[in-house]
Amino acid sequence: MIPFNQPSIGDKERQYVLDSLNSGELSGDGKYTFAVYDRFKELFGIDTMRLTTSGSSALELAALLTDIGPGDEFIVPSYTFSSTVNAFLLRGATPVFCDIRPDTLNIDETKIEALITPRTKVIVPIDYAGVPAEMDTINALAATHGLQVVEDAAQSVGSTYKGRPSGLLCDLSCFSFHVTKNYAMGEGGALVMAPGYLDRADIIREKGTNRRQMLDGKVDKYTWQDIGSSYLPSDLLAALLLAQMERFQEIMDKRLAVWDYYFEALGDLAQSGDIQLPTVPAHIQHNAHMFYLICADATTREELCAKLNQQGIKAASHYVPLHTAPFGQKNGWDKYQLPVTDDLSVRLLRLPLYADMSEADVQSVIDAIHRFYV
Ligand SMILES: Cc1ncc(COP(=O)(O)O)c(C=O)c1O
């Protein structure tokens, strides 16, 4: 049995979690949370971030910070997770779905401008498979039209775009540390933001109060200041994340080794035209979040997936595009014409990939795929 995904948990993770548990300081914003911020600064030069209870809540916090509301529109790919859109729907805004690029499956930046209307407020790209979207073009479009950008960087922790790290590619960037992500705290996320957003983010994240200012000695007592929610994860989970981030390079190298192995060993099937392999543009260093292949058609994808699953190999399809998912249909969004999204979403198959995956297991997956195509 080869699982699809598995977190890499070692002695350091156990030690830090136990230490946190023994300290009794289990609420949010304890020493481990602040140690995580120091680590992100050290690794990526990220100065202004806050941990959240999930990638989804980081997106909700970002949406609140944009002040988007009823009557406003946001431009987003349909090929994404529900949370990307939910965060803005919860504010009463309307999604405008944009098609994706055929190479990276990220939002097609050349199709955004045609979708901008006087009601557009935010552009929401995602970094599919840990490959950042074309952020320079997206930021330039946003600047020209007076829009904000919220990047769903749930999958791209540790990736770089033109040498700049994910998280620093726009003003509001949302990470996920869900157990399925490269660096895991079980459930968790972070909002990385331009410094000007921090004071309000602290209030929203602390149930709409200025508790952070009180803890920093700036006010005597804290009071209700703004709309908000509870977005702080327990320090116990931050302890787990700190251990993961101290193993940043080790985890990255192991994942990249698996990814590269797949890419090399399946090259012959790409050459013969049976499958398409992922494209990573030269100006991007990806984090090996995901390895996928694109089959010739939907039927082949289903057959290959079933064959692998029968052999205990947990390959998996990915998103049902949001515009055609049941809730998308209910809202009439299936009227959108998104040919690249429709085409690729039924042909894409993800392969097992995790840091501690043995070479033998990677080889077994490769062999099973080759057997399918003989
Ligand atoms: C693109 C994308 N956005 C948002 C999320 C939500 O993150 P979380 O599960 O941490 O809420 C995920 C992952 O689950 C994701 O892949």
Side-chain angles (χ1 to χ4, degrees), residues 30-353:
K31 73 170 182 182
Y32 280 106
T33 300
F34 284 94
V36 166
Y37 300 157
D38 290 344
R39 185 73 186 138
F40 272 84
K41 184 166 171 63
E42 211 172 279
L43 284 168
F44 312 118
I46 289 175
D47 264 326
T48 317
M49 70 182 284
R50 287 294 182 253
L51 287 185
T52 56
T53 47
S54 62
S56 306
S57 59
L59 284 159
E60 288 174 26
L61 176 52
L64 280 158
L65 288 167
T66 65
D67 275 327
I68 198 168
D72 295 329
E73 294 172 352
F74 60 103
I75 298 173
V76 66
S78 167
Y79 195 63
T80 185
F81 192 58
S82 57
S83 301
T84 321
V85 170
N86 277 337
F88 297 86
L89 280 188
L90 284 164
R91 311 276 22 100
T94 305
V96 172
F97 291 108
C98 186
D99 212 350
I100 52 172
R101 290 168 55 123
D103 55 356
T104 58
L105 286 81
N106 280 328
I107 192 167
D108 187 337
E109 70 283 358
T110 66
K111 294 184 177 154
I112 294 175
E113 195 155 31
L115 301 174
I116 295 174
T117 75
R119 302 199 299 182
T120 309
K121 192 138 187 180
V122 186
I123 306 173
V124 192
I126 86 153
D127 301 337
Y128 188 69
V131 174
E134 270 312 316
M135 294 305 291
D136 278 357
T137 310
I138 293 167
N139 285 328
L141 272 173
T144 305
H145 295 274
L147 310 177
Q148 297 177 79
V149 179
V150 173
E151 183 189 15
D152 182 340
Q155 300 176 9
S156 64
V157 176
S159 299
T160 64
Y161 171 85
K162 300 183 182 173
R164 282 139 49 206
S166 173
L168 294 178
L169 305 177
C170 66
D171 281 356
L172 294 163
S173 194
C174 305
F175 288 156
S176 170
F177 303 114
H178 185 258
V179 70
T180 53
K181 300 300 185 288
N182 293 24
Y183 305 95
M185 57 193 281
E187 300 282 352
L191 176 66
V192 181
M193 67 205 111
Y197 286 101
L198 184 63
D199 287 346
R200 185 153 183 244
D202 273 337
I203 287 172
I204 293 172
R205 184 171 165 269
E206 274 275 22
K207 303 90 179 167
T209 74
N210 57 348
R211 185 162 179 270
R212 181 77 255 147
Q213 290 174 12
M214 185 199 70
L215 295 171
D216 291 344
K218 293 180 184 155
V219 293
D220 291 341
K221 63 174 185 169
Y222 66 98
T223 49
W224 187 27
Q225 305 281 328
D226 198 345
I227 192 171
S229 190
S230 181
Y231 291 135
L232 295 73
S234 165
D235 212 46
L236 187 60
L237 294 180
L240 176 53
L241 182 61
L242 180 66
Q244 294 269 285
M245 296 315 293
E246 287 187 354
R247 295 176 53 221
F248 170 74
Q249 202 57 52
E250 177 207 333
I251 291 174
M252 176 73 97
D253 290 347
K254 286 175 161 176
R255 293 188 73 101
L256 283 168
V258 176
W259 198 99
D260 290 345
Y261 195 133
Y262 275 138
F263 194 84
E264 279 276 306
L266 295 170
D268 57 337
L269 295 176
Q271 205 92 66
S272 60
D274 286 310
I275 60 170
Q276 229 175 283
L277 292 174
T279 304
V280 180
H283 57 281
I284 285 169
Q285 174 57 57
H286 72 106
N287 62 357
H289 174 60
M290 186 194 297
F291 193 92
Y292 63 81
L293 36 95
I294 310 275
C295 300
D297 51 49
T299 311
T300 312
R301 193 269 302 264
E302 293 310 314
E303 285 171 3
L304 176 57
C305 188
K307 242 315 176 276
L308 294 175
N309 288 344
Q310 277 162 22
Q311 294 167 73
I313 297 168
K314 295 292 176 192
S317 60
H318 209 184
Y319 309 125
V320 172
L322 297 180
H323 73 294
T324 55
F327 192 61
Q329 288 186 29
K330 195 172 154 196
N331 283 286
W333 294 323
D334 50 339
K335 71 174 190 298
Y336 274 94
Q337 298 294 312
L338 305 172
V340 182
T341 301
D342 291 341
D343 174 39
L344 293 180
S345 57
V346 295
R347 294 199 282 133
L348 181 140
L349 185 69
R350 294 175 298 159
L351 303 182
L353 196 168

